Amino acid sequence: MPRGKRSNGEGSVYQRKDGLWVGAAYVLTTTGHRKRVTVSATQEEEAWRKLRKKIADSDAGIPVSAESWKVENYLRYWMDNVVATKRPRTVEGYAAVVRRHLIPGLGAKPLKRLSAQDVRTFLTRLRHDCRCCADKIDAKRPKEARRCCAVGKCCRLVLSDRTIQQVHAVLRNALQHAMREEIIPRNVAKLVQVKSPRYDVHRGLDADQARKLLKEAEGDRLEALYVLALYLGMRRGELLGLRWTDIDWDGWDERCREHADEFCEDCADLHFPSLEVRQTLQRVGKQLVFVPPKTDRSERATPLPRLVAEALIEHWDRQDDEAEAADAWEDSGLVFTTPQGGPIDPTYLRASWYPLRKRAGLDGVRFHDLRHSCVTLLLRLGVPPHIVRDIVGHSAIDVTMTIYASVSLEDKREALKKLTEELG
């Protein structure tokens, strides 16, 4: 650069006694004010190049951070002021990722100097390092119970692809907000790709297995819950958060109940009951909380087939009997309750589900697979995907078609058979 007089705002570059070249200029900050920033390089031209970049960003309206954030400081600020407004389970999940992985791995790094290489190295280390060794899990056990890392036998307890994807997603969301607040110029986490987990889409019951399950559920105090799960594809939290006021019997009242124990033919012809999903029950920490459905489409109204309505009426009568027999009945207004009328903890539903699936010969089938079964069976019956999506409350039709709509070998055989017949 010529040593002549510089224009206003151009900044200056000088050489220190140790030979390092330093550039300085006043640039815009995230507070709206201007402050003096410096850059350094081993060569004068490199120092000028870095300084011009700072000035050009400032002129383009891209400010520099007014604070010297560490990644840990910013993540705590983000959790307290941004994530805290989200759903309780989301807050709980984000907090676990930040506490267990992001702060230990990246917390000490300056936020504005965080690079894509830093993120990639961090995720690679997470993917390959044994968590038992890194977190000293085995060392925290009593001495007589130690069996791997603490005694020199690494158990290779590495994180799954799904967990790595979650860690990357939380970091990407945090940095995206930092960029939106103009604390950093770009989101370096977006420059790093992670391996997508492979989902097993071949879960669920066929028609024969579903019928057997319903047969085994007959007489169970939660029989209606399994009927709703299979026929309407409702999520576990949606079922446990369902209230009697969410069911519209369309004029069916006590007078109809008096003349028959079941949902009679006259009722079926005159009334069209429906069910609305308005809330879901979740465990957050040590508390049970009612929250809005998972997505906007999850909040939905669904007509009740006659068989489902009958199951709910029988459950209604059973619940009345339990209320009379209970010493102290909690009138929660929920459809599915404990024998004392309170909400059922989602994690305790397995006490009913595990024995039932064993009796039906379905060991290993998850409760959520009943929802998957509903989607798959509806699609195989030729129901249009957009109707299936609205029945089960998927956020998008892509979810219905790619994750849930598995294709069996029999489906492929029938399709190829039709093609063979057509081509002769």
Side-chain angles (χ1 to χ4, degrees):
M1 291 290 294
R3 295 290 183 178
K5 185 177 181 180
R6 291 178 295 275
S7 59
N8 188 32
E10 184 181 350
S12 61
V13 171
Y14 59 92
Q15 189 175 28
R16 296 191 324 200
K17 291 182 179 180
D18 59 4
L20 192 68
W21 289 88
V22 178
Y26 283 89
V27 297
L28 184 69
T29 69
T30 52
T31 63
H33 300 89
R34 302 181 76 84
K35 78 169 186 178
R36 187 173 183 267
V37 297
T38 60
V39 296
S40 59
T42 56
Q43 300 293 327
E44 182 180 9
E45 285 299 324
E46 179 66 11
W48 274 111
R49 186 188 66 77
K50 290 183 177 180
L51 188 61
R52 290 194 200 101
K53 178 66 168 58
K54 290 283 188 185
I55 296 171
D57 286 346
S58 178
D59 292 342
I62 303 175
V64 299
S65 175
E67 298 186 52
S68 299
W69 292 94
K70 296 286 187 182
V71 172
E72 177 179 358
N73 301 136
Y74 181 75
L75 287 174
R76 295 190 186 281
Y77 158 80
W78 178 65
M79 288 294 303
D80 292 340
N81 296 277
V82 181
V83 179
T85 62
K86 297 183 180 295
R87 293 163 60 93
R89 284 293 293 274
T90 301
V91 175
E92 187 179 46
Y94 277 31
V97 170
V98 169
R99 182 181 68 255
R100 295 175 186 172
H101 305 298
L102 294 180
I103 288 180
L106 295 173
K109 292 186 176 295
L111 180 63
K112 62 182 180 180
R113 293 183 184 175
L114 187 67
S115 66
Q117 184 178 9
D118 293 331
V119 175
R120 187 178 298 108
T121 301
F122 161 68
L123 293 176
T124 300
R125 188 167 62 248
L126 274 187
R127 185 178 295 109
H128 294 101
D129 286 359
C130 172
R131 301 319 303 168
C132 184
C133 297
D135 300 334
K136 295 181 172 52
I137 296 173
D138 195 46
K140 296 174 183 177
R141 297 186 178 117
K143 288 187 177 181
E144 61 275 9
R146 294 174 185 175
R147 58 180 182 272
C148 49
C149 301
V151 295
K153 298 178 181 179
C154 183
C155 58
R156 299 304 304 158
L157 180 66
V158 297
L159 298 179
S160 66
D161 291 338
R162 175 58 179 156
T163 303
I164 297 295
Q165 186 187 53
Q166 289 175 333
V167 173
H168 178 255
V170 172
L171 178 62
R172 186 184 66 240
N173 290 344
L175 296 183
Q176 187 66 20
H177 191 269
M179 191 176 74
R180 194 176 298 120
E181 291 190 337
E182 298 183 327
I183 297 175
I184 55 176
R186 64 176 181 172
N187 186 345
V188 295
K190 282 189 172 182
L191 305 178
V192 179
Q193 294 183 336
V194 295
K195 181 181 179 181
S196 297
R198 295 184 62 182
Y199 294 99
D200 183 4
V201 297
H202 295 284
R203 289 176 175 158
L205 312 180
D206 57 31
D208 290 337
Q209 290 174 322
R211 281 191 288 266
K212 186 173 182 181
L213 179 68
L214 292 175
K215 182 68 176 176
E216 291 294 335
E218 290 180 2
D220 191 289
R221 67 178 303 272
L222 295 179
E223 176 185 354
L225 182 141
Y226 298 113
V227 171
L228 286 172
L230 269 173
Y231 277 85
L232 303 184
M234 293 176 66
R235 300 177 178 92
R236 179 182 61 174
E238 294 171 348
L239 289 163
L240 299 181
L242 184 66
R243 298 164 294 191
W244 288 113
T245 54
D246 296 330
I247 301 175
D248 180 6
W249 295 104
D250 189 30
W252 188 88
D253 56 20
E254 289 295 333
R255 289 173 296 176
C256 296
R257 293 185 73 189
E258 289 173 0
H259 66 71
D261 294 332
E262 298 181 348
F263 194 63
C264 64
E265 294 288 347
D266 292 337
C267 293
D269 293 336
L270 292 174
H271 310 301
F272 303 92
S274 62
L275 174 152
E276 287 192 53
V277 177
R278 296 174 179 169
Q279 66 175 14
T280 181
L281 178 66
Q282 294 181 346
R283 167 167 283 284
V284 180
K286 297 182 179 180
Q287 293 183 328
L288 295 177
V289 296
F290 293 98
V291 297
K294 186 176 180 181
T295 64
D296 291 340
R297 281 193 176 275
S298 297
E299 193 167 342
R300 62 197 185 276
T302 305
L304 294 180
R306 179 183 171 188
L307 187 147
V308 177
E310 288 177 344
L312 282 170
I313 292 167
E314 291 178 4
H315 181 76
W316 193 353
D317 291 334
R318 184 182 294 113
Q319 192 177 79
D320 284 346
D321 294 338
E322 289 182 344
E324 292 178 2
D327 294 334
W329 178 260
E330 179 183 348
D331 190 9
S332 62
L334 297 172
V335 175
F336 303 109
T337 66
T338 64
Q340 290 74 41
I344 299 176
D345 190 322
T347 57
Y348 293 156
L349 183 60
R350 67 188 65 170
S352 169
W353 168 243
Y354 284 1
L356 175 62
R357 73 177 186 182
K358 185 175 182 179
R359 293 197 305 269
L362 299 173
D363 287 339
V365 175
R366 306 170 306 165
F367 180 82
H368 189 73
D369 291 334
L370 302 185
R371 173 175 168 83
H372 172 82
S373 303
C374 173
V375 176
T376 304
L377 291 170
L378 285 173
L379 289 171
R380 288 179 181 173
L381 290 171
V383 179
H386 68 281
I387 296 179
V388 178
R389 175 200 63 192
D390 290 346
I391 289 175
V392 299
H394 284 154
S395 59
I397 201 167
D398 290 348
V399 178
T400 309
M401 297 306 297
T402 59
I403 296 181
Y404 285 88
S406 58
V407 179
S408 69
L409 193 60
E410 185 63 29
D411 295 330
K412 298 175 186 178
R413 186 179 294 111
E414 287 299 318
L416 293 174
K417 181 180 177 181
K418 291 179 181 178
L419 178 60
T420 303
E421 292 173 352
E422 180 66 23
L423 298 179

